[in-house]
């Protein structure tokens, strides 16, 4: 594993080794292994968790960080520099690049000209593989297993890169069943459904949460991706369409969990936060462990 571009490049063994390392790093922190190494975070799109958790992970491992958020405005891209030239330049300064960009395929493009590892932290409406790793790690920590779970992915499945990567990665597990809950226009992409078929993953499409709520082990709620719609009017058709409320929580199985990659807008009400089923802030914490494990694996 040199670059981390897509979820499909992982296999189950690699994922499980990362999980083991993440848990080890929780028990025995390693503040030294990245000493003398530098990570660059190059973000062309907004981020809170992904950028800060990578940066925190690198610092906790003893490494250094240089960073630009809003790279479109604050890097030489504003003068017309290409992504490739930016990456070639960063190759002279750092040991690993974490990149988030608005174009699908941008991380792949960056990796083609990079001698140092490129980590895809979100390429437009494409993928977000490290989020899928931390999502699966959250499931394994909270449910003690991944095989056999029934997960409902809810919301903007068309534009949401987290659910794309998560679906691909679930394809490596056994007896998974996925319920895709979305309005028709925002349903899961055909190429991903095709992939799941090939992997023998059972999935069904729904338009209402009520249809599956009492049977799921995991709710994976997502934000309607406002920035991907062609107009604000188009976005407003779907804004607020699915909401997790206290009633939703009460209808779930006792040991079921609610996840969300965050940020949330209005799709999980604050009244849900105190429920033991709400694990979305634990998920943030697990992300820090996974990103430490990933950096250590890629750079050692
Ligand atoms: C997501 C993203 O940026 O794709 N957030 C994240 O990385 N945790 C989800 C989103 O923006 O809705």
């Amino acid at each position: 594993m040199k670059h981390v571009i897509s979820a499909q490049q992982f296999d189950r063994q690699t994922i499980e080794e990362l999980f083991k390392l993440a848990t080890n790093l929780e028990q025995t922190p390693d503040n030294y292994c990245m000493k003398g190494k530098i990570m660059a975070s190059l973000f062309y799109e907004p981020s809170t968790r992904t950028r800060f958790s990578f940066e925190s992970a690198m610092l906790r491992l003893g490494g250094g960080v240089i960073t630009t958020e809003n790279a479109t405005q604050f890097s030489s891209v504003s003068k017309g520099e290409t992504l490739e030239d930016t990456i070639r330049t960063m190759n002279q300064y750092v040991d690993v690049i974490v990149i988030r960009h608005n174009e699908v395929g941008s991380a792949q493009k960056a990796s083609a000209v990079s001698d140092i590892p490129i980590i895809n932290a979100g390429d437009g409406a494409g993928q977000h593989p490290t989020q899928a790793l931390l999502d699966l790690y959250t499931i394994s920590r909270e449910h003690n297993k991944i095989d056999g779970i029934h997960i409902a992915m809810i919301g903007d499945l068309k534009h949401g890169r987290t659910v794309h990567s998560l679906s691909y990665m679930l394809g490596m597990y056994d007896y998974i069943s996925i319920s895709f809950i979305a309005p028709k226009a925002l349903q899961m992409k055909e190429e991903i459904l095709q992939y799941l078929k090939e992997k023998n993953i059972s999935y069904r499409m729904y338009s209402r949460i009520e249809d599956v709520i009492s049977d799921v082990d995991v709710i994976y709620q997502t934000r309607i991706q406002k920035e991907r719609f062609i107009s604000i009017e188009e976005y407003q058709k779907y804004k607020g369409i699915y909401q997790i409320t206290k009633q939703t929580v009460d209808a779930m199985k006792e040991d079921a969990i609610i996840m969300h990659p965050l940020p949330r807008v209005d799709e999980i009400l604050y009244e849900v936060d105190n429920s033991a089923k709400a694990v979305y802030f634990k998920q943030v914490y697990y992300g820090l462990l996974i990103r430490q494990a990933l950096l250590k694996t890629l750079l050692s």
Side-chain angles (χ1 to χ4, degrees):
M1 184 165 57
K2 173 154 190 203
H3 306 290
V4 176
I5 306 298
S6 70
Q8 305 92 297
Q9 77 182 77
F10 287 87
D11 56 36
R12 198 169 160 150
Q13 195 193 332
T14 313
I15 295 171
E16 270 149 32
E17 278 163 15
L18 279 169
F19 289 2
K20 228 181 1 223
L21 182 54
T23 305
N24 284 344
L25 284 165
E26 179 182 43
Q27 283 149 7
T28 319
D30 182 344
N31 309 128
Y32 198 75
C33 63
M34 288 296 121
K35 189 157 171 43
K37 301 235 196 273
I38 301 176
M39 179 190 90
S41 37
L42 190 57
F43 278 59
Y44 295 81
E45 274 196 344
S47 168
T48 299
R49 275 145 294 267
T50 307
R51 187 164 69 88
F52 284 136
S53 73
F54 265 113
E55 294 182 358
S56 173
M58 190 63 178
L59 293 169
R60 280 171 193 274
L61 294 174
V65 172
I66 54 178
T67 179
T68 177
E69 55 169 345
N70 203 351
T72 313
Q73 192 184 341
F74 295 127
S75 73
S76 284
V77 170
S78 68
K79 304 179 188 168
E81 186 169 64
T82 62
L83 178 62
E84 283 88 342
D85 280 1
T86 303
I87 297 296
R88 286 188 190 104
T89 302
M90 298 308 290
N91 262 252
Q92 316 307 317
Y93 302 145
V94 299
D95 304 284
V96 56
I97 298 171
V98 181
I99 181 172
R100 169 170 289 185
H101 196 279
N102 53 304
E103 260 170 52
V104 177
S106 51
Q108 176 67 45
K109 209 159 101 179
S111 71
V113 296
S114 184
D115 294 325
I116 59 169
I118 297 288
I119 301 177
N120 181 5
D123 61 328
Q127 284 216 32
H128 193 349
T130 68
Q131 178 72 38
L133 286 171
L134 79 89
D135 291 341
L136 283 189
Y137 183 60
T138 301
I139 296 171
S140 77
R141 290 282 301 251
E142 295 297 312
H143 269 303
N144 282 319
K145 61 166 191 173
I146 296 171
D147 288 325
I149 60 148
H150 177 188
I151 180 170
M153 298 186 199
I154 306 171
D156 190 349
L157 308 181
K158 178 183 176 199
H159 304 111
R161 53 197 173 199
T162 68
V163 285
H164 299 163
S165 290
L166 183 57
S167 299
Y168 281 122
M169 227 174 251
L170 280 166
M172 289 149 210
Y173 288 81
D174 298 321
Y175 312 111
I176 300 294
S177 84
I178 309 180
S179 296
F180 292 119
I181 303 172
K184 241 198 172 99
L186 302 182
Q187 260 300 357
M188 186 49 83
K189 300 197 289 194
E190 195 50 48
E191 62 189 268
I192 295 179
L193 300 178
Q194 198 52 45
Y195 169 91
L196 292 173
K197 256 185 219 152
E198 285 159 22
K199 295 281 172 182
N200 271 321
I201 301 288
S202 93
Y203 68 82
R204 285 184 69 178
M205 333 288 267
Y206 297 92
S207 56
R208 294 166 2 120
I209 300 182
E210 294 74 29
D211 294 334
V212 297
I213 190 68
S214 61
D215 188 62
V216 298
D217 303 302
V218 179
I219 278 191
Y220 192 94
Q221 175 69 313
T222 66
R223 179 177 67 88
I224 306 296
Q225 307 278 294
K226 184 178 181 184
E227 65 277 28
R228 312 274 179 232
F229 286 81
I230 49 165
S231 66
I232 197 76
E233 291 75 31
E234 198 56 28
Y235 163 68
Q236 255 141 11
K237 282 192 204 161
Y238 302 105
K239 184 186 179 321
I241 185 166
Y242 298 114
Q243 282 188 329
I244 307 293
T245 64
K246 207 155 172 318
Q247 278 101 294
T248 324
V249 175
D250 292 340
M252 294 169 73
K253 290 198 285 195
E254 207 50 54
D255 66 345
I257 58 173
I258 303 165
M259 296 172 60
H260 192 309
L262 303 177
R264 80 172 134 181
V265 183
D266 52 9
E267 61 276 0
I268 300 179
L269 299 194
Y270 294 119
E271 66 188 25
V272 172
D273 294 359
N274 288 330
S275 162
K277 293 172 183 162
V279 302
Y280 26 92
F281 288 105
K282 272 183 167 174
Q283 196 179 342
V284 172
Y285 164 71
Y286 292 138
L288 180 61
L289 299 176
I290 277 294
R291 288 179 171 130
Q292 287 182 63
L294 190 66
L295 288 169
K296 191 170 177 177
T297 304
L298 279 176
L299 295 183
S300 304

